[in-house]
Amino acid sequence: MLRDHEDGLAIAPTNYTVKDAVRDWLAYGLAGLDPSTVDTVTLLSEKHVIPSLGARKLRDLSAEDVDRWLATKAKMLSTRTLQSLHSCLNRAVKRAMARDKVKRNVVELCSVPQGQAGRPSKALTFAQADAVLKGAEGTSMHAYIVVALLTGARTEELRALTWDHVFLKGRPEMDPPQPAHIAVWRSVRRSADTKTRKSRRTLALPTRCVDALWQQFEDQGWDRLAADDEWEEHGLVFSSAVGRPLDAANVRRAFRQALKDVDGIDAGEWTPRELRHSFVSLLSDRGVPLEEISRLVGHSGTAVTEEVYRKQIRPVIQTGAVVMDGIFGAQERRP
């Protein structure tokens, strides 16, 4: 306390704990963040940080304490989760230090160890993708699955897609005329914008997508009539039976339900985001250049596409909608 006084620090209560610092950060340090981010860091803090380190007095917390805590967690958690835990504790202690609760932030001195291998992302083969498209016919998720697999749009982008950004007849009055397309300009993020600036893009639609979206438009009309006064009009392409926005859990549950009878597919082992992985792999397998794939999926560069999404590498040439028509076969378009 004398040293703190000499250093010009306020004398904080000697019983101020790591738990107090974390709870203060959760209460006042997350303003402006997306609600889903707040929920995630709150869960991590309440489940992993506070039970393990919460009772320790913040002034007594040492780098060795943090190292041991991270090493213990590394036996059961992925590296990415460990990085998130380190970030939560680091930000909480940094906030406490800025308010003279502690002299220095020992968390910044600690490195994140290697954790357990996370669940690897998968991509459908052509045979599996074809089976999924056929198996999903007649389900509420058919159009969603077709558009996700054949355009590579993110699930957060498709959940926010509205009919005023869907042009099933194209725009023949433009010079040059535009084919059928969707404008991927929104997402379900708090800002309603896409993940990055380059994620905002306009994608031509393969014929199979156009057919599926016409059917979706018709089916939604019947849903609107059935719901009557309960219908909530949000203009969404993909919505609940009463027009409400879908959340990630809704989509995942309906997606797995649609896949439950598809031969060769264990529905519980797949998630909607892996349709995007499959899109990248199918294009790559047909020889589409990496730079073109990155542009189609809205990446700012090729690094993420190559390291995370691409499962097969073959160097040749062609592009999005045209290639998908070639893979799955163009069907006769509706009038």
Side-chain angles (χ1 to χ4, degrees):
M1 290 175 66
L2 287 173
R3 281 198 303 271
D4 288 346
H5 178 72
E6 290 171 357
D7 291 340
L9 295 178
I11 306 303
T14 56
N15 61 349
Y16 195 81
T17 63
V18 172
K19 177 180 178 180
D20 294 328
V22 173
R23 289 275 168 81
D24 178 75
W25 173 66
L26 292 175
Y28 306 109
L30 303 178
L33 295 182
D34 190 271
S36 62
T37 301
V38 174
D39 291 344
T40 298
V41 298
T42 300
L43 177 63
L44 290 173
S45 299
E46 295 288 353
K47 185 175 181 180
H48 296 289
V49 182
I50 292 175
S52 301
L53 298 173
R56 192 141 184 90
K57 292 180 180 179
L58 187 58
R59 288 172 176 263
D60 294 336
L61 183 69
S62 67
E64 288 78 9
D65 293 331
V66 178
D67 284 336
R68 282 194 292 269
W69 168 65
L70 288 172
T72 300
K73 293 296 180 182
K75 297 176 182 177
M76 62 189 80
L77 301 176
S78 68
T79 302
R80 183 173 181 178
T81 303
L82 291 174
Q83 291 169 343
S84 297
L85 291 179
H86 180 274
S87 176
C88 290
L89 182 59
N90 183 43
R91 292 178 183 218
V93 177
K94 186 178 290 186
R95 177 181 171 85
M97 186 173 69
R99 284 152 182 76
D100 294 332
K101 303 296 186 182
V102 69
K103 194 170 184 179
R104 65 174 184 159
N105 182 4
V106 297
V107 184
E108 289 185 327
L109 306 176
C110 303
S111 301
V112 178
Q114 184 74 30
Q116 302 302 303
R119 174 186 175 276
S121 294
K122 304 185 295 298
L124 297 166
T125 64
F126 166 68
Q128 289 175 320
D130 196 40
V132 165
L133 291 174
K134 291 175 180 175
E137 289 179 0
T139 71
S140 63
M141 284 293 286
H142 179 240
Y144 182 98
I145 290 171
V146 172
V147 176
L149 180 59
L150 273 63
T151 70
R154 296 178 176 92
T155 181
E156 66 198 48
E157 295 167 342
L158 291 181
R159 283 158 49 206
L161 184 65
T162 53
W163 285 112
D164 61 341
H165 280 182
V166 176
F167 302 87
L168 296 181
K169 296 181 179 179
R171 302 182 73 178
E173 75 281 3
M174 300 294 288
D175 186 20
Q178 294 179 354
H181 62 276
I182 56 173
V184 184
W185 292 357
R186 302 188 185 111
S187 76
V188 294
R189 293 170 178 269
R190 186 175 184 178
S191 66
D193 206 349
T194 50
K195 187 173 182 179
T196 67
R197 182 176 58 84
K198 288 195 175 182
S199 292
R200 181 177 279 209
R201 61 209 186 277
T202 300
L203 299 173
L205 289 172
T207 304
R208 199 160 184 166
C209 286
V210 174
D211 293 340
L213 287 171
W214 275 121
Q215 187 63 52
Q216 175 73 2
F217 186 78
E218 182 180 315
D219 291 345
Q220 197 175 78
W222 289 111
D223 287 341
R224 188 181 287 105
L225 285 174
D228 198 17
D229 292 341
E230 294 184 16
W231 180 265
E232 296 181 13
E233 187 56 68
H234 296 280
L236 294 168
V237 176
F238 304 108
S239 64
S240 72
V242 292
R244 293 178 187 144
L246 300 173
D247 62 26
N250 295 146
V251 173
R252 183 169 57 251
R253 183 167 52 250
F255 173 74
R256 288 175 172 168
Q257 181 68 21
L259 265 60
K260 67 182 180 66
D261 295 325
V262 178
D263 291 339
I265 297 291
D266 183 350
E269 294 294 318
W270 293 87
T271 63
R273 67 184 175 86
E274 285 164 333
L275 295 173
R276 179 171 163 87
H277 287 256
S278 303
F279 171 83
V280 173
S281 287
L282 288 166
L283 289 185
S284 179
D285 194 39
R286 285 298 177 102
V288 179
L290 183 58
E291 293 76 16
E292 183 67 12
I293 296 175
S294 296
R295 203 160 62 91
L296 287 167
V297 295
H299 287 160
S300 57
T302 60
V304 174
T305 313
E306 183 156 21
E307 293 176 14
V308 179
Y309 288 90
R310 190 160 72 163
K311 309 301 176 188
Q312 298 166 301
I313 301 176
R314 305 274 175 88
V316 190
I317 280 185
Q318 282 280 348
T319 194
V322 176
V323 175
M324 281 301 178
D325 275 341
I327 294 174
F328 293 103
Q331 298 176 350
E332 186 177 349
R333 184 172 296 179
R334 290 175 171 227

